[in-house]
Amino acid sequence: MNVVPPSPRIEVQPSPEALATAVAGELLTRLADLQAAGQVPQIGLTGGTIAEAIHREVARLSPASGVDWGTVVVWFGDERFVAPDSPDRNAGQARAAFLDAVGATQVHEMASTATASSVEEGAAAYADLVRAHGSGGFDVLMLGIGPDGHVASLFPGHPAAATTDAVAVGVHDSPKPPPDRISLTFECLNRADTVWFLAAGDGKADAVARALAPEGSVTATPARGVTGRDPASGTATEITWWLDTAAASAL
Ligand SMILES: O=C1O[C@H](COP(=O)(O)O)[C@@H](O)[C@H](O)[C@H]1O
């Protein structure tokens, strides 16, 4: 399937540090604006190296932002199906980097090996949770991108990435360890008012270029599958690629 991506905004910062500060600042501004308008923001977090740097900047900048983290609903785009205290957990990383520091209370983690007996069970439970919240979608969804073009835990050529009619999917044999994971599907990831792709370093340059090329397949480069809401819904999705100079070097 060939998908032509919508015209995204591309923001390039000179370094990973500057990128982290810029994304954290913009996130806090968006959340403060939504709360000022009486809304309860819903955000989707990603794991990964640049995400951790952004999370630390959110913790640093949050006190001056006016954001009430008690009324921000936090979701995860994917999770590693490991023990709850494993350093591989995306949720553990996010909690340590900022969620605990800012006092976030509405944090919806995906299952660990302590709370589900399989990735399928964990995916079904997360789908139920998303549906229970009305499936309205994310105000801001952040997604890292792997050097292979994966987003969340949807990997190139992997059968889990082809899942339709589901909110979340269990992933076995992930090409990147750990092998067992839970991921939101494209269908769910695309329910977003704003999607921010995050990439830093020259190891991401080729994947970024493939994701933004005029032609290409979602199977080969899963990041191409996150294009936002169906234009027929009448709600356009803002898509921004937040890059450092190295990640933007092949554009
Ligand atoms: O495994 C994962 O990898 C990606 C990207 O991570 P990075 O360290 O290469 O930046 C991440 O987006 C995803 O959430 C995570 O589970």
Side-chain angles (χ1 to χ4, degrees):
M1 176 179 58
N2 266 343
V3 172
V4 180
S7 297
R9 181 166 72 116
I10 299 175
E11 289 284 336
V12 182
Q13 296 290 328
S15 66
E17 293 78 17
L19 179 63
T21 303
V23 174
E26 180 85 11
L27 177 67
L28 290 166
T29 299
R30 299 287 179 105
L31 294 176
D33 288 350
L34 287 162
Q35 290 181 331
Q39 295 182 40
V40 176
Q42 309 227 17
I43 62 171
L45 301 184
T46 179
T49 322
I50 191 61
E52 182 161 15
I54 292 165
H55 294 166
R56 293 194 188 288
E57 279 298 89
V58 172
R60 186 178 71 82
L61 298 172
S62 193
S65 71
V67 172
D68 171 10
W69 282 94
T71 58
V72 177
V73 184
V74 179
W75 301 94
F76 290 87
D78 75 314
E79 189 53 277
R80 292 86 180 272
F81 190 63
V82 289
D85 58 353
S86 164
D88 282 334
R89 292 276 294 174
N90 288 338
Q93 181 254 69
R95 283 192 185 279
F98 86 108
L99 291 173
D100 291 346
V102 299
T105 52
Q106 301 190 58
V107 180
H108 298 302
E109 291 192 25
M110 290 181 170
S112 69
T113 51
T115 58
S117 60
S118 68
V119 289
E120 287 75 21
E121 185 185 314
Y126 210 66
D128 286 346
L129 201 56
V130 170
R131 284 194 204 95
H133 276 75
S135 308
F138 305 101
D139 292 292
V140 180
L141 169 65
M142 290 176 279
L143 291 171
I145 176 170
D148 58 356
H150 82 262
V151 284
S153 283
L154 303 175
F155 291 89
H158 194 288
T163 303
T164 54
D165 292 328
V167 169
V169 63
V171 180
H172 295 279
D173 301 322
S174 159
K176 175 182 177 181
D180 292 329
R181 294 161 172 249
I182 298 167
S183 182
L184 298 184
T185 61
F186 288 123
E187 198 172 311
C188 185
L189 294 171
N190 279 321
R191 292 181 209 156
D193 292 336
T194 300
V195 175
W196 289 350
F197 289 98
L198 316 167
D202 54 12
K204 303 293 173 74
D206 181 58
V208 169
R210 282 188 288 117
L212 286 165
E215 297 287 329
S217 81
V218 173
T219 306
T221 311
R224 297 179 67 88
V226 185
T227 53
R229 297 184 194 277
D230 182 345
S233 72
T235 312
T237 296
E238 171 204 317
I239 298 195
T240 300
W241 283 78
W242 292 93
L243 309 172
D244 71 351
T245 313
S249 60
L251 293 179

